[in-house]
Amino acid sequence: MTDLKEVLKNKLPMAAWVLDVEKSSVIAYNDAAECLLANSLQQIQSGSRRIPSDLQDKWVRKLATIDRQQSFSCPWPSDNDETLKHWCQGSVVDLEDGRKGLLLELQLKSITKASDPLIDKDVNLLKQFKTLSFAIFSLQGCYLNSSDIFTEQFGSFEQLSSLFAVSSAAKSFMLRLSEQQSLSQEIMLSTLKGVRWHRIEARYDVHSKQIYLLAHDIQEERDHEVALYRLNNYDNLTNLPNRNLLYQQLESALQNAKKREREFGLLYMDLDSFKVINDNFGHRVGDELIQRVAERIQSSIPAAACLYRLGGDEFVVVLENTSAISDLEDIARSIMFNASNTYLVAEMEMMISASIGIASYPQHAEDVDNLLKNADAAMYRAKSTGHNLYCVYENRMADNINALLTLGSGLRKAIDNEEFELHYQPKVALPKENVVGAEALIRWNHPELGMVSPNKFIPLAEESGLILPLGEWVIRRACRQLQEWRQQGHPPIRLSVNLSSRQFMQADLVDMVKAILEETGVDPEYLELELTESMLMTDAQQSIEKLHNFRKLGLTLSIDDFGTGYSSLSYLKKFPIQTLKIDRSFIHDIGIDSDNDAIVKATIAMAKSLNLKVIAEGVENRSQVSALDGYQCQEVQGFLYSKPLPSNDFMNYLQEQVKVEHFSLVETGSL
């Protein structure tokens, strides 16, 4: 506890006294205080007069917030003359019960009187400010008076410094005002509503030794400016910075890189088949998926990288101060790896990947526009190669993109003019190596460019939506071909057709296939649909329902490129499929790479346990056939037997195979 008698004695000859603010009582005072404030002290001690409630409330709050080393200026009202006010310095002392008390010490020249000419002038001046927030302070920053509006905004306080939200700002303000005598600035002040932005104008009057302060609340203006800035520079859906801020960072990165001879780069991303989800599930689901994708990409990139949304399903990642292209490739691989997990959207498990293009300064471009253009070209190359891939920019990619766009504009015309045709690659059964089926593969016989690879026009068809009429044409043409072969007397074989992800999401796909089967009279037993793992996992539950509807029609179902997607064994058991098609990437090094051998053997064993047939694609040599036959793979497909052939050539191939089989039977005496 503080020794109050000793403290008060040391304050002599200045008047000093101690208040128990909570009880509104004076509990100690020195001789100077007793002489100067006799009436006030006696009235408070007797209980006939209490500290004014507003002053008591203010002191209670003050004691709760200041430290024992701090002091503040405050008024002490006089009972003898209502126009008199004593200015004191207040500080904290400890009372006997551990509570805080208030030590008041009278300041020199502390008495102010309302009837003084200067005071009258200030009071009359303040009465004129009905709508302005205006206050008057002494040269030392002590509060003297204010307009009603000012009091409503800031409440009661003793020091000008109490207004400032940052203490250093108050010191800077007072210093500059003493040097300039007038100033104006925007600054944050502490109000009864919290810290808010204000525009303040202040003037120091050398004659009156007073500071006049005008404060204008501009918080709403600031909020509007911030909202407008966010509207112009941030994506409303994902809260990511948009194209405007991207260009700002790229221009800044370019200048820094030139100045310091450093490198930087970017990744240009476009979601694969996002339009399928938007068209089939609606924009609300599509928007939610975009949000989840943005969150996952953000968690996949390093802290130093910045993620932007350009709009739609396009994103850009910028990384400054790179040491090599591998820094950007590492980010791409991280994004692709995290795409393997499903997204929970609208109570559905969805999957979506991204095609990524990479470009770096100064290797690939020396200005911002060309850097973005070349990264975009690399992204298109990745998309044309497959899904969930990245590609680093190479020279002439931009020229290739122009060629692709030219192809895209001719797609619809090609459908109308029937410029497409189907080629057929045989499927061979092991161990006899007899042809048991074929895969129908689309080709574009362009009138000017000749035969165009599907790797070039299929991605364009998917993005434009033309994949739907194109896919329907493929199914109808394949069924008609089966009928033509049957009518020509050829033995029936099973013909498989690939479905695109967007086509599979088509709501009336089952009805469309059923109508084509009825139209062409084809036995459904001989039509097989090939689907990818990622396609089925986009919405696993809906896929299961659709696959069962296909099975009711009598179709055969196959999972294509097995091993490259992300389907789980639990879903594999639920999908009503009959065939697994092992991707060519596992077949290429079979018999050489022990890991690939193990994967192929395990896949065949798993399929056998699930009563599924296995076919291996991409077979190119006899050693691969021997290995697959040893692993008990039922069927193979690849260039070892034949490339995809036009209809007539395929029929000739079949007839040659029949002759070879017949000759073999004769030689062995089986006939």
Side-chain angles (χ1 to χ4, degrees), residues 208-226:
S208 64
K209 306 295 184 184
Q210 291 180 346
I211 297 171
Y212 298 90
L213 179 70
L214 181 65
H216 176 57
D217 190 322
I218 60 170
Q219 185 64 50
E220 290 186 3
E221 294 177 28
R222 280 289 183 127
D223 290 344
H224 178 72
E225 291 173 0
V226 170

Side-chain angles (χ1 to χ4, degrees), residues 75 183 294 309 441 491 552 558:
L183 60 84
R309 184 188 180 210
L441 299 164
K552 290 177 183 178
S558 171

Side-chain angles (χ1 to χ4, degrees), residues 429-434 629 633-634:
L430 298 180
K432 294 183 179 181
E433 299 189 51
N434 57 305
D629 189 27
C633 179
Q634 291 101 320

